[in-house]
Amino acid sequence: MAGTGTAHLRGGDAVLKATDVNVRFKVPGGTVQAVSGVSFDIMRGETLAIVGESGCGKTTLGKAILQLPPPDSGSVVLDGTDLTSLSGEALRAARTSIQMVFQDPISSLDPRMTVRNLVAEPLWVWNRGSEDERDAKVRELLDAVGLEPDLVLDRRSYEFSGGQCQRISIARSVALEPAVLICDEPVSALDVSIQAQILNLLQDMKERYGLTMVFISHDLAVVRAVSTRIMVMYLGKICEVGDPEAIYSRPAHHYTSALIGSVPIPDPTRRTGRTPLRGEPPSPMNPPSGCRFRTRCPAASDRCAAEEPELREVSPGQYVACHHPRG
Amino acid sequence: MRRLLGGMDVFTRACAGWMSLMVLLAVVGPFLPLPDPREADFEASAVGLFSPGHVLGTDSNGYDLLSNVVNGARTSLMIAFVSVVVGGALGAAIGIVSAYRRGRIDRVVNLLFNIVLSIPNLVLGLALVAILATSSDPSVVISPSRRVVVIMIALTCVVLPVLGRIARGATLTWINREFVVAARSMGMRDRHIILRHIVPNVLPAIYSVGFLAVGVVIVAEGALSLLGVGVVDGVSWGAMISRVAGEFTFVPHSMYVPVTVLALTVIASNQLGDYLRSRLDLREGRL
Amino acid sequence: MSAVMSIRDLVVRFRTPRGVLEAVRGVTLDIPEGASVGIVGESGSGKTVLSRAAMGLLSGSNVDRSGSVTFDGAELVGLPRDHVRQHFGTGIAMIFQDPMTALNPVRRVGVQVAEGLRIRLGMSRKDAAARTSELLAMVGIPDPAAAMRKFPYQLSGGMRQRVMIAIAIACKPKLLFADEPTTALDVTVQAQILELLAGLRANLGMAMVLVTHDLGVVANNTDFVAVMYAGEIVEQAPTTELFANMKMPYTEALLKSIPTVEARPAGRLPVIEGRLPDPTDRPAGCGFAPRCSYAQARCREDHPPLVDAGNGHLYRCWFPLAAPARRS
Ligand SMILES: Nc1ncnc2c1ncn2[C@@H]1O[C@H](COP(=O)(O)OP(=O)(O)OP(=O)(O)O)[C@@H](O)[C@H]1O
Ligand SMILES: Nc1ncnc2c1ncn2[C@@H]1O[C@H](COP(=O)(O)OP(=O)(O)OP(=O)(O)O)[C@@H](O)[C@H]1O
Ligand code: SF4
Ligand SMILES: [Mg+2]
Ligand SMILES: [Mg+2]
């Protein structure tokens, strides 16, 4: 199978390394190739941003890393252990090294539990520490995410705003001191004025707990503020991977360039927020042949329809899957 | 609990009051200074309301209506509560687990629920009673207590798929919530996820529909009696109705009394179900 | 330029169990003919309530509306519902944030677009169908004939929003209210929809009120901007003037707190601490005072009036930023 390639993998001691991950969903009328042939690696302390539009498979990939559900094929290696080969108790234990913060801060908290129980839950599941130690840890975590423990401990999630719920989620997700934290659009549901607070908090938590992060987002502006490496996805495949500076200043893939160009910039003296793209993403049930982006690409040629592009290096540390990359 | 009672309007309070009274009567009935419900007072048969010694009158057999209402509450409510609690617990357990597991088990369970639900309540009840509570030898009399048990089993079978489906549906909506995914990602066992996250969220739906089911079951018990397969010669509201079914025109109050009590109880339990739902949904509504 | 809609001292109050909630507190705003006016602000600042109230679309027994709204010279406040309704479609039209809930899920797209044409303009079934197909082509839907036979759920979010726009412009309105029309869409689709709206506006000579929380969207798609905070307009100016010469600390803070694709901020992102004041219990002074880095004692005591800085630039602040605004 013509994968999207693994040229961008760096070898060495990656904390997390996914190779040729495929996730399919059976839906009425066919199969959705939500993630196909995606590979990536993350070094300790990095923040890998996964960027792309709605439905391109970002969440599915994030969950596949956690084995929720496990990918249909491919491997996910965490600190030398292939998670896809584990099951039952071993998988349960291994999962604790990867935690996830979800997009919808309200739906990711059980409305019937108090904040105390919500944050202590991971500790309870793994029987970490005595009751008192857990309580102390919960206080420490709440304090770290900027909530006053005494004011919030006995309240329930529905009494909090979206931003506060997201703080609670973050506190909970770092309770087990995971190696990798996957943040799935952690600020998309939040108001503009709250977004920056949560992004800052994530940076603080990363430093404080030595986290390696996967940051999923559709918003290139948000991604720019937090990431150290960027992976752009389109319809289940990787378009471009690389260092943010390179990607923002010289996007090599036409899709990346369109994404960056579409972001409106708050400055009326500059014409921004335009896109050269025609149409909308095709149905993931029967993706276009060859390059999946060719139906909307301004540079598409016959070759793009016939042959699937492989990821290759266009500048040091910048990899693109395109037959006619931007110069 | 105090918060639950706090917001009741007058009608709901009245319903709660009526329900409590019925439950109280069911418990203390036998100790009240009332005539034996099974003992006919031949001196005063078919006397009207507020007759001396018979506050609610008697039927044409001379059975005291008040005593039958009070002692019948015991049987009728017991049948209702037992079948709803047992049917609800089993239904909820089956519904929740099958929805959580998905796959083939779930499809089979759902099919079975649908099949049972497609049979009208009474036909199902009748069929079950016919199978369980008839003897091949007509000379063997089936004791009222055995009939009560059989009716409970039959009505449990009626209630089970109703509550089971509701539990299944509610579970399906909750398991897609991200907090369930979050619980799995922190390595929680399925058993704990079900007990800690699914059950507490599904229960409100079960409680409120359970109250509605109490009403349905009380009516079903009455209807089965009318059809001659209820607790025919026992003491229950349904039995009272069936005994006087033919005499409605002569002794109307002997019909009105049990029907009124039964209707009020059904209304009260429906209202309490609705109230409970609106109260428990409130927290969800605020999301 | 005359105003197609004039809003004067508009006040909207909701009577809630927690007390009276003043969601819009004395807003005065003109929407010039053919112009695009942006309304920006945080969630809960009253943008939606303001636009709904201006259109006379707030219903419910717990709503009080006072002030004046004139459309095309006619007063709308106090007018019976049926009279206000006459203006809908032909005079005022609207599109919403979520096109899925705004479209009827069980009716075909073609029928929903044609409905307005048949009812409002009295077109025959055939004419309406032909016009529907034209409209769908106009809003950039490929193969309009096929799209007309589809149900809303068979279309993507962007396509549904295009259908909403087709419905809105069907009767050539003079004014289009767009409440966060692209918030639920992807950036590339957002760019396409905003471009479409700009093109239609130019062609039809239609004025637009664009409600959004995104200053980036405002900067490139509007002629005038009103910044709302806690139910009031706190700053209002022609768009270029506003960005070049910001007066309100709130507008500046809002602008600074949004991350951009332009540059990676060194260190922490600037934030606006705190939250909107409780709408049932508003502070006496400036609503932004508790969160403002320039606030002084006076800000907490006296409510700042709307000051005219010339050039159509109004602001509500005791200590406005020096001109030109220092921006990082
Ligand atoms: N459980 C599922 N069953 C069937 N299809 C699914 C399921 N989950 C996701 N999909 C499909 O897989 C594709 C990828 O979905 P995914 O949620 O991963 O996208 P995403 O990039 O996270 O999008 P968004 O930005 O909207 O969150 C979509 O086409 C989606 O419809
Ligand atoms: N029908 C209503 N009854 C009571 N309060 C209401 C009602 N509608 C809106 N409000 C309140 O009015 C205030 C302003 O709400 P509005 O919806 O206008 O905000 P917004 O600026 O549009 O925010 P968003 O960006 O979230 O859409 C809020 O405090 C809201 O809770
Ligand atoms: S491969 Fe072809 S279609 Fe795909 S992005 Fe490159 S030029 Fe465009
Ligand atoms: Mg997603
Ligand atoms: Mg709004």
Side-chain angles (χ1 to χ4, degrees):
Chain A
M1 179 180 148
T4 323
T6 52
H8 60 296
L9 296 187
R10 289 164 290 180
D13 57 352
V15 184
L16 183 71
K17 177 168 174 175
T19 321
D20 202 18
V21 171
N22 283 284
V23 184
R24 284 179 284 272
F25 292 110
K26 284 209 173 50
V27 294
T31 309
V32 173
Q33 269 286 350
V35 174
S36 47
V38 170
S39 308
F40 63 85
D41 55 3
I42 313 176
M43 302 295 158
R44 196 165 301 283
E46 263 187 352
T47 299
L48 171 73
I50 302 180
V51 192
E53 289 180 283
S54 183
C56 73
K58 308 180 295 291
T59 300
T60 309
L61 179 59
K63 289 188 179 167
I65 299 170
L66 275 172
Q67 312 294 307
L68 286 171
D72 294 292
S73 67
S75 69
V76 177
V77 179
L78 175 80
D79 278 331
T81 322
D82 186 353
L83 299 182
T84 55
S85 69
L86 303 179
S87 62
E89 279 303 290
L91 177 59
R92 207 168 74 80
R95 261 184 196 149
T96 57
S97 321
I98 312 179
Q99 290 293 299
M100 193 150 169
V101 175
F102 295 89
Q103 171 166 0
D104 183 346
I106 293 168
S107 133
S108 54
L109 300 175
D110 187 333
R112 288 181 204 281
M113 289 175 70
T114 59
V115 170
R116 181 196 304 274
N117 290 337
L118 282 168
V119 178
E121 189 160 45
L123 304 167
W124 174 83
V125 170
W126 291 99
N127 234 335
R128 299 263 172 94
S130 66
E131 191 90 18
D132 288 345
E133 282 162 354
R134 271 186 237 155
D135 211 58
K137 178 83 184 169
V138 168
R139 285 169 177 276
E140 178 212 310
L141 288 163
L142 288 173
D143 199 51
V145 296
L147 295 171
E148 180 57 53
D150 291 316
L151 294 182
V152 302
L153 271 173
D154 294 308
R155 292 163 70 192
R156 278 164 229 269
S157 64
Y158 58 81
E159 297 175 49
F160 295 98
S161 68
Q164 289 171 310
C165 284
Q166 204 58 299
R167 285 174 194 271
I168 298 168
S169 283
I170 292 171
R172 182 172 64 161
S173 64
V174 297
L176 291 173
E177 300 184 1
V180 178
L181 183 66
I182 304 176
C183 303
D184 185 6
E185 312 230 16
V187 298
S188 303
L190 303 179
D191 200 52
V192 270
S193 62
I194 314 291
Q195 286 192 355
Q197 297 177 5
I198 298 293
L199 291 175
N200 284 339
L201 171 64
L202 282 171
Q203 291 292 74
D204 295 348
M205 299 302 274
K206 189 178 156 180
E207 270 159 41
R208 178 162 180 171
Y209 294 96
L211 298 169
T212 301
M213 256 173 24
V214 177
F215 189 95
I216 297 175
S217 178
H218 65 268
D219 187 337
L220 279 165
V222 164
V223 162
R224 171 134 224 194
V226 296
S227 60
T228 58
R229 192 172 161 86
I230 292 181
M231 176 164 108
V232 181
M233 284 179 72
Y234 185 79
L235 227 58
K237 299 232 176 204
I238 301 180
C239 297
E240 185 165 3
V241 189
D243 158 61
E245 281 320 308
I247 289 194
Y248 282 95
S249 58
R250 299 169 267 114
H253 200 285
H254 300 277
Y255 178 59
T256 315
S257 151
L259 272 184
I260 296 173
S262 306
V263 179
I265 296 172
D267 183 350
T269 59
R270 299 181 29 209
R271 305 300 295 161
T272 54
R274 332 229 109 208
T275 176
L277 296 189
R278 299 157 281 164
E280 294 185 45
S283 153
M285 267 159 70
N286 44 6
S289 64
C291 173
R292 290 190 173 182
F293 183 56
R294 70 177 163 83
T295 51
R296 297 173 76 198
C297 180
S301 68
D302 291 346
R303 183 174 173 211
C304 303
E307 193 187 324
E308 172 163 7
E310 292 256 331
L311 274 168
R312 61 196 165 96
E313 191 164 18
V314 284
S315 75
Q318 187 181 12
Y319 297 81
V320 67
C322 174
H323 295 307
H324 317 289
R326 290 162 42 95
Chain B
M1 201 64 204
R2 175 161 308 149
R3 258 188 305 160
L4 216 56
L5 293 174
M8 279 192 181
D9 57 40
V10 179
F11 182 53
T12 314
R13 277 166 200 268
C15 289
W18 176 265
M19 217 51 189
S20 319
L21 177 67
M22 287 301 116
V23 172
L24 185 73
L25 291 183
V27 175
V28 303
F31 311 109
L32 294 180
L34 289 169
D36 183 337
R38 309 287 297 121
E39 204 164 284
D41 182 352
F42 300 111
E43 318 270 285
S45 73
V47 298
L49 301 182
F50 311 116
S51 310
H54 303 288
V55 177
L56 291 180
T58 59
D59 67 9
S60 56
N61 303 317
Y63 291 149
D64 180 64
L65 290 180
L66 178 62
S67 164
N68 266 282
V69 163
V70 168
N71 290 288
R74 195 183 184 74
T75 322
S76 292
L77 291 186
M78 188 164 75
I79 290 177
F81 287 139
V82 168
S83 45
V84 168
V85 167
V86 175
L90 286 176
I94 296 173
I96 289 174
V97 171
S98 95
Y100 188 84
R101 290 259 167 247
R102 307 297 288 268
R104 194 170 329 149
I105 306 173
D106 185 40
R107 281 198 294 276
V108 171
V109 166
N110 194 30
L111 183 73
L112 287 178
F113 280 173
N114 281 338
I115 291 175
V116 179
L117 282 174
S118 68
I119 308 172
N121 284 350
L122 279 185
V123 175
L124 182 67
L126 262 178
L128 288 167
V129 175
I131 296 166
L132 300 172
T134 45
S135 54
S136 45
D137 181 357
S139 62
V140 178
V141 185
I142 291 173
S143 71
S145 59
R146 168 142 178 229
R147 275 182 176 278
V148 168
V149 172
V150 165
I151 285 172
M152 278 181 194
I153 295 173
L155 292 175
T156 299
C157 294
V158 169
V159 169
L160 191 147
V162 175
L163 290 167
R165 250 179 73 129
I166 288 182
R168 179 175 172 274
T171 306
L172 285 178
T173 66
W174 287 104
I175 54 174
N176 285 324
R177 285 298 197 86
E178 284 172 338
F179 66 78
V180 175
V181 180
R184 291 173 69 187
S185 79
M186 69 180 69
M188 199 183 264
R189 286 169 214 279
D190 288 347
R191 179 163 39 99
H192 286 143
I193 295 180
I194 291 181
L195 289 178
R196 281 174 71 99
H197 292 296
I198 308 277
V199 170
N201 283 298
V202 167
L203 273 185
I206 304 281
Y207 288 147
S208 50
V209 180
F211 268 97
L212 302 185
V214 167
V216 171
V217 168
I218 291 176
V219 171
E221 189 263 330
L224 285 178
S225 301
L226 263 184
L227 293 172
V229 294
V231 200
V232 260
D233 25 47
V235 182
S236 86
W237 295 342
M240 289 173 73
I241 294 171
S242 73
R243 265 198 302 272
V244 300
E247 299 155 21
F248 182 50
T249 37
F250 316 117
V251 200
H253 77 270
S254 65
M255 185 64 135
Y256 287 145
V257 167
V259 166
T260 309
V261 170
L262 192 146
L264 287 177
T265 309
V266 171
I267 291 170
S269 98
N270 284 356
Q271 172 64 21
L272 289 179
D274 281 347
Y275 172 75
L276 210 57
R277 171 160 42 210
S278 72
R279 286 304 291 198
L280 294 171
D281 279 354
L282 194 68
R283 301 197 241 166
E284 270 293 293
R286 274 202 246 146
L287 283 185
Chain C
M1 231 184 323
S2 65
V4 59
M5 180 177 268
S6 295
I7 300 169
R8 293 280 169 273
D9 299 316
L10 188 66
V11 175
V12 181
R13 291 195 186 89
F14 293 104
R15 285 184 303 263
T16 69
R18 288 177 49 230
V20 174
L21 186 158
E22 211 170 36
V24 173
R25 307 190 290 160
V27 164
T28 296
L29 182 67
D30 277 338
I31 297 148
E33 254 166 35
S36 165
V37 176
I39 300 181
V40 262
E42 277 170 79
S43 182
S45 56
K47 308 181 296 290
T48 298
V49 172
L50 170 62
S51 48
R52 296 267 162 119
M55 286 183 285
L57 278 181
L58 284 177
S59 48
S61 53
N62 67 335
V63 192
D64 294 323
R65 183 176 64 151
S66 68
S68 142
V69 178
T70 55
F71 176 72
D72 234 2
E75 175 65 50
L76 298 184
V77 173
L79 215 59
R81 264 181 170 284
D82 286 349
H83 292 243
V84 179
R85 206 156 47 212
Q86 278 175 1
H87 294 290
F88 287 143
T90 52
I92 311 175
M94 70 213 89
I95 51 180
F96 304 97
Q97 172 170 347
D98 184 355
M100 192 62 211
T101 51
L103 288 169
N104 185 336
V106 297
R107 298 180 68 206
R108 287 179 204 279
V109 164
V111 179
Q112 299 193 46
V113 180
E115 189 167 48
L117 296 168
R118 299 199 8 110
I119 296 174
R120 287 266 160 241
L121 304 182
M123 283 192 186
S124 72
R125 191 178 291 272
K126 224 176 107 199
D127 291 349
R131 179 82 184 125
T132 298
S133 156
E134 263 174 56
L135 282 166
L136 292 180
M138 230 165 113
V139 296
I141 294 182
D143 196 359
M148 281 169 69
R149 285 192 300 273
K150 292 192 170 160
F151 291 98
Y153 74 88
Q154 293 171 306
L155 300 174
S156 69
M159 285 298 154
R160 277 182 225 133
Q161 197 57 286
R162 285 172 195 272
V163 170
M164 277 307 298
I165 294 173
I167 294 175
I169 62 165
C171 306
K172 299 207 176 73
K174 287 188 170 171
L175 175 60
L176 177 70
F177 272 93
D179 191 352
E180 313 231 11
T182 56
T183 306
L185 306 176
D186 283 321
V187 272
T188 60
V189 181
Q190 158 166 302
Q192 289 168 343
I193 296 282
L194 291 172
E195 230 161 289
L196 169 69
L197 285 172
L200 289 172
R201 227 159 46 71
N203 285 341
L204 303 174
M206 169 178 79
M208 176 166 81
V209 174
L210 183 63
V211 175
T212 173
H213 61 263
D214 188 339
L215 277 170
V217 168
V218 165
N220 278 283
N221 294 282
T222 60
D223 307 316
F224 300 89
V225 187
V227 181
M228 279 195 85
Y229 186 81
E232 283 180 323
I233 291 184
V234 291
E235 183 160 21
Q236 177 183 338
T239 309
T240 42
E241 160 73 16
L242 181 92
F243 282 89
N245 194 10
M246 229 162 241
K247 291 284 182 208
M248 260 314 275
Y250 175 64
T251 318
E252 187 199 43
L254 202 58
L255 184 65
K256 276 194 181 158
S257 72
I258 51 178
T260 68
V261 282
E262 299 278 81
R264 187 195 166 100
R268 298 168 68 81
L269 296 166
V271 298
I272 314 180
E273 293 294 350
R275 292 213 257 163
L276 281 173
D278 179 352
T280 54
D281 179 23
R282 293 252 160 81
C286 169
F288 187 55
R291 307 166 73 184
C292 181
S293 50
Y294 304 93
Q296 301 187 22
R298 180 170 197 190
C299 304
R300 283 177 276 273
E301 283 149 23
D302 299 331
H303 192 79
L306 209 54
V307 178
D308 191 341
N311 294 340
H313 194 153
L314 305 172
Y315 63 88
R316 211 180 258 287
C317 177
W318 292 120
F319 305 101
L321 306 177
R326 302 137 301 176
R327 270 194 280 144
S328 47

